[in-house]
Amino acid sequence: MPAQIGIDIATASTLLKQGKLVAVPTETVYGLAANGLDPESILGIFEAKNRPTFDPLILHVRDIPMAKTLVNGWNNTAQTLAEAFWPGPLTIILPKSDIVPDLVTAGNTTVAIRIPNHPLTQALLQLVEFPLAAPSANLFSYVSPTTAKHVADQMIDRIDYILDGGECSIGIESTILAIEGETARILRLGGLSIEAIETVLGHSPTETLHKNSNPQSPGQLEHHYAPQCRLIPLCKKGEPLLSLIQLLKNPLLTPNFGILLFSKQELNVEDTFYLTKLQEAGKNTVYILDELGDIAKAGNKLFSTLRLLDSDGCKEVYFSWAPEIGLGRAINDRLMRAST
Ligand code: AMP
Ligand code: MG
């Protein structure tokens, strides 16, 4: 039977207690949740997503005391970050305690934890006595879902219930920080900016991103978050976009190409004129993340726009980068991986 979609947390909690799978809204993306202390339930997540079991899951908890039961070595850095950013888009990684099944951590000795900031999922966490293991509620390596409909599109026949909490407010996955002693290392850029973390820690966390083959940090997979269409950068990251005219006049351009722009302000007068003419002739589609180039709004639209490229039948999509500051870095990280 296909999953029901609704806002009934009592039903959702009953299903979770029975070992079933429930998609849950968070401020980052929708998660596919199961009892995070029960290996059989957790196995269900990997099967439903076609996710390889070497890719570990994040445990979502209701509060800091519950987080502490899942780790060894909760320290000052963890406490400072948790107090500053939880509930919120920050996942922290610490050595795991014995109650955490190896399946959650893919055999790693560390576990990833966060408190999500969405009222429905927070209420659900109050009704169950266990943490929720929840990766993004999409098929492995595809774009993460930011609405209940996105979840339903891929997962409705694979899971038991979809808790509909509306559109995710941030729309990009959490920032992942490994806490090693009192230092912090970024494993994945995400919904919390490095600048914000720096303000609280007093220094910048170290970075090791894009290591495709390092099983310790599978969050760094190079090809991920990818739509079906081919994504091609219009310029180098960090460099300004020059005119689109040369591209648009190229006779070899495929008929169903698309253009994905960070903002409308990147277009010059000639580009705009030519694009309008093409669109009037039904020739291509221009997708703009945010007209005025607001980074948070652009980030919020990124994943739904990547899905749209596929559903509109685009085969090749030329894109521009976000500015390399704040959440712009997370947007660029996802564009980079989607285009690898
Ligand atoms: P998702 O929820 O689908 O965004 O996936 C969770 C992400 O967290 C994945 O990219 C994992 O590789 C990463 N992750 C979870 N646990 C760990 C861990 N113990 N060490 C490193 N990365 C982790
Ligand atoms: Mg994912």
Side-chain angles (χ1 to χ4, degrees), residues 294-313:
D294 179 296
I295 296 182
K297 286 185 188 160
N300 188 265
K301 260 184 81 184
L302 177 66
F303 286 153
S304 53
T305 307
L306 292 181
R307 283 176 181 254
L308 201 56
L309 300 176
D310 279 346
S311 58
D312 284 354

Side-chain angles (χ1 to χ4, degrees), residues 127-142:
L127 295 183
V128 294
E129 66 281 12
F130 41 76
L132 295 175
S136 53
N138 53 279
L139 292 174
F140 182 66
S141 90
Y142 196 68

Side-chain angles (χ1 to χ4, degrees), residues 1-9 11-12 15 21-25 30 120 147-167:
M1 234 190 12
Q4 279 198 352
I5 305 176
I7 54 165
D8 184 356
I9 53 172
T11 299
L15 288 166
L21 303 178
V22 175
V24 297
Y30 273 73
L120 266 187
T147 65
K149 182 177 180 306
H150 291 164
V151 178
D153 286 346
Q154 283 197 325
M155 309 300 287
I156 197 151
D157 292 320
R158 297 169 166 256
I159 65 179
D160 301 289
Y161 193 76
I162 300 173
L163 205 50
D164 186 351
E167 199 180 322

